[in-house]
Amino acid sequence: MPAPWIMPSQSGIDTQNVISKLIEVERIPLKRLEEDNRRNEIRIQAWEELRTKAKKLSDVSRDIYSFTGPFANRKLYSSDDAITGTVSPNIEEINQKIQILQLAKNHKIHTREIQKSEIFPPAKFSILVDNQEVEFDFKGGNITILEKLLKEKAGNLYDISSVNIRSDAVILSITSKISGSKGRLQFKDPDDLLKSLELIGQKGEKQEKEEVLEYQTTEFSNPVDIIKSTFSFSNIEKVEYYFPLQENITEVHFQFEYHIEEKKEVRKEREKLYLGPEIKNKIGDIELLGPQIQRERLTEIDVEDKDNRTSLGKLILYYESAGTNKSYEIPFYENKKNYSVSFRELEENDMIKIHRIEFIKNFGGTFQVKEIKIKKIIEGETVYRPLHEIDPPQDAKLLINGVEVYRSSNNDLTDIIPGVSLNLHKITSKEVELKVEYDISKIKEKIKDWVNAYNDLLLFIKQNDKFNRDQDFELNRSSNPNERIEDGFRKLEDASGIFAGDPVARRLVSLLATLTSSAYPTKLKPSFKTLAQIGISTGKPGSAWQDIKQGLLTIDESILDDVLMQYPDSVKELFALDKNEDAVIDDGVGYKMNQELEPYVRFAGGIITSRIELLKEQIKQNKKIIYNKELSLGRKEEMLRKKFGNMETNIQNTKNMGKFLQNKLGIKKED
């Protein structure tokens, strides 16, 4: 509601000005609250910045000893750029020598020279790479149409490219995307299209397919327990299995388990006992033993049955080769559970037919066949090899400790050195020495980050706390006895900084100084117990006291480089130590810094967060007080306007009454 209008002053008083000054006096406390809110906003920004810088130091401290930190990560050093690679975290140091005898190559072939105008009839064909087959249904057309079809289905198996030999002729090239021998290009060409292109020529090897048997009850001569590819028997000594797959078998693999019943017998033996204390009689220098009582008792002894524990039984394969029925016997033993039979080694003829298998056990217990895998030649499949080879498929050949090792790829070889991924780049005339060591440059970089984060935090606190401990607080107060003590705090803060005298900031400074100057336990030799021993200190000997007392850390890089190159593990222990060898870091300057800062930097319930929340609550309360007071002042201003308005009205009425009486009484106003 707007304040009432006040009529022109009849009392000679500047009523409007008086009301404004009265309200302004009432607003003085509100201005202080508004100023406090502005200051609190600045304080909040400062505390948030402090928390951010402390959090950064805490995080860098944790990063130094984390499982992804610089001490956990290693670097592969190679004496020749022919071999490069990466290593897994926490891998132990190794030293290996490898010579590259040949690199893996991708199979690359090409066609004959093909006229662009040449038209090819419809045909079906396939490309086979690494046991994967891509089938094509060519509808007919020129070489451009065929090339497009080949590219559409290339996927991750091969690449197609063309070279214009002349303006009217091209040659197609096909390159396997899979390196080594397993990336060999093979083809099926029932309609002779690829043969007409001279893409293929010689007939390839017959294909083999491996299958795992799943059994049926009718295939066994005796009842057995069957679960898909597993069967077992225990109460009988022999089981005949009638083989359902009788065509072109080349290899058979068996895997089995057994459970032997333990048989023990008890044998009783007599045991002599001597009862009573041993009596010794001494006559002069001669010592005589007194008689002892001898008794016998029967003792039961468990005797393990060791019969038939080495030979468990045998398998007999009944098969046909070149029209002749034959058998092959395989004895099996307790310490071996996998057997393979290659008929290529037994017979010149590779068209083997297996009729049945006998499983015979000569032990008490259960015999369980876990799996039977068979390899057989796929009938009706004719696979062709290329006619024109640019690069034949080739595996990488390495010499490691005098042993030749083959790999199908040159890159990402993770099975040569555990935890190391190798890349091969060129053939070498001698051995390449490989070492896995600390990456010193990354360790040094992280230590520098840690020192910079420490100095950044400490400097921020000091820049916002310039209060002299010897300064008398009273010197900052006004000589006016009526001035509030809060004004003294404001002046102190303005002169000395936001953190001036603040206990939280001062405890944090003290904590930082303690953590960086303390000695820490170590186990290795040489032992680095303090930061100064690795070149990190508040100043070199002879530095100015003004610089040292600031507490900022400096790095003597010559010392740090030396200890990192010679004793990286000892430096690691200074920052992070597992005291009780439980694979958990529990000491060291990096660990302690992270742990001690955690209460300060925690967002939920942290020390600095609590201070920020308190300031925000003060702002909220002050705004509430200001809002309510403004409403009250509005009502008060309205009341004053009414009172002054009534006063002016009464004065005006009094004046009018005086004039009226003067006129009635004939009293003339004297000049």
Side-chain angles (χ1 to χ4, degrees), residues 491-519:
K491 291 180 180 180
L492 176 63
E493 186 177 68
D494 292 340
S496 302
I498 291 175
F499 303 139
D502 186 272
V504 172
R506 289 192 174 274
R507 282 200 306 271
L508 188 53
V509 170
S510 177
L511 173 65
L512 295 175
T514 300
L515 291 174
T516 52
S517 61
S518 296

Side-chain angles (χ1 to χ4, degrees), residues 30 622-632:
L30 301 186
N622 287 347
K623 286 183 176 180
K624 185 176 181 180
I625 293 172
I626 292 171
Y627 176 77
N628 292 332
K629 188 65 176 177
E630 286 290 356
L631 292 177
S632 176

Side-chain angles (χ1 to χ4, degrees), residues 244 275 330 401 454 498 588 623 651:
L275 306 178
I330 308 170
N401 299 330
Y454 177 92
I498 291 175
K623 286 183 176 180
I651 292 174

Side-chain angles (χ1 to χ4, degrees), residues 506-555:
R506 289 192 174 274
R507 282 200 306 271
L508 188 53
V509 170
S510 177
L511 173 65
L512 295 175
T514 300
L515 291 174
T516 52
S517 61
S518 296
Y520 294 88
T522 56
K523 294 183 291 186
L524 297 177
K525 299 294 182 181
S527 175
F528 300 136
K529 294 183 178 296
T530 65
L531 289 172
Q533 290 177 291
I534 65 170
I536 301 174
S537 65
T538 55
K540 295 181 179 180
S543 300
W545 171 244
Q546 286 296 116
D547 296 332
I548 295 176
K549 74 175 185 178
Q550 289 295 317
L552 301 178
L553 297 178
T554 62
I555 300 177

Side-chain angles (χ1 to χ4, degrees), residues 272-277 290-296:
K272 292 183 179 181
L273 299 176
Y274 293 92
L275 306 178
Q292 291 181 319
I293 302 173
Q294 180 175 315
R295 296 287 187 270
E296 291 185 353

Side-chain angles (χ1 to χ4, degrees), residues 93-232:
E93 292 190 19
I94 63 167
N95 193 331
Q96 183 65 270
K97 294 181 179 180
I98 298 176
Q99 183 178 355
I100 304 175
L101 302 179
Q102 69 182 32
L103 292 174
K105 291 183 179 180
N106 296 66
H107 198 190
K108 188 173 183 179
I109 64 175
H110 67 81
T111 65
R112 63 174 172 81
E113 184 179 307
I114 303 170
Q115 298 295 317
K116 293 182 179 180
S117 59
E118 190 174 349
I119 302 299
F120 301 99
K124 293 184 178 181
F125 61 92
S126 296
I127 298 178
L128 297 88
V129 184
D130 191 25
N131 294 322
Q132 300 180 62
E133 181 176 353
V134 182
E135 296 179 345
F136 298 86
D137 186 2
F138 180 56
K139 302 301 183 184
N142 60 19
I143 191 63
T144 302
I145 296 174
L146 178 59
E147 180 183 1
K148 182 179 178 182
L149 176 63
L150 290 170
K151 285 182 176 180
E152 287 176 353
K153 291 194 171 186
N156 296 320
L157 296 181
Y158 61 87
D159 280 323
I160 294 291
S161 61
S162 60
V163 178
N164 290 316
I165 302 301
R166 296 187 305 276
S167 61
D168 61 343
V170 298
I171 290 179
L172 285 186
S173 296
I174 304 180
T175 303
S176 174
K177 287 185 177 180
I178 300 173
S179 61
S181 57
K182 69 178 184 178
R184 180 184 298 276
L185 294 165
Q186 293 181 306
F187 303 87
K188 295 178 183 178
D189 187 31
D191 297 327
D192 293 335
L193 172 62
L194 303 183
K195 187 177 293 185
S196 69
L197 298 173
E198 294 187 9
L199 194 61
I200 61 173
Q202 59 188 27
K203 189 175 181 180
E205 297 177 354
K206 296 179 180 179
Q207 281 191 302
E208 285 188 297
K209 182 179 181 182
E210 187 174 74
E211 293 182 352
V212 178
L213 295 184
E214 291 190 3
Y215 314 109
Q216 301 294 328
T217 305
T218 56
E219 296 165 355
F220 293 92
S221 61
N222 291 307
V224 294
D225 296 324
I226 301 175
I227 304 177
K228 289 188 176 180
S229 60
T230 301
F231 72 88
S232 61

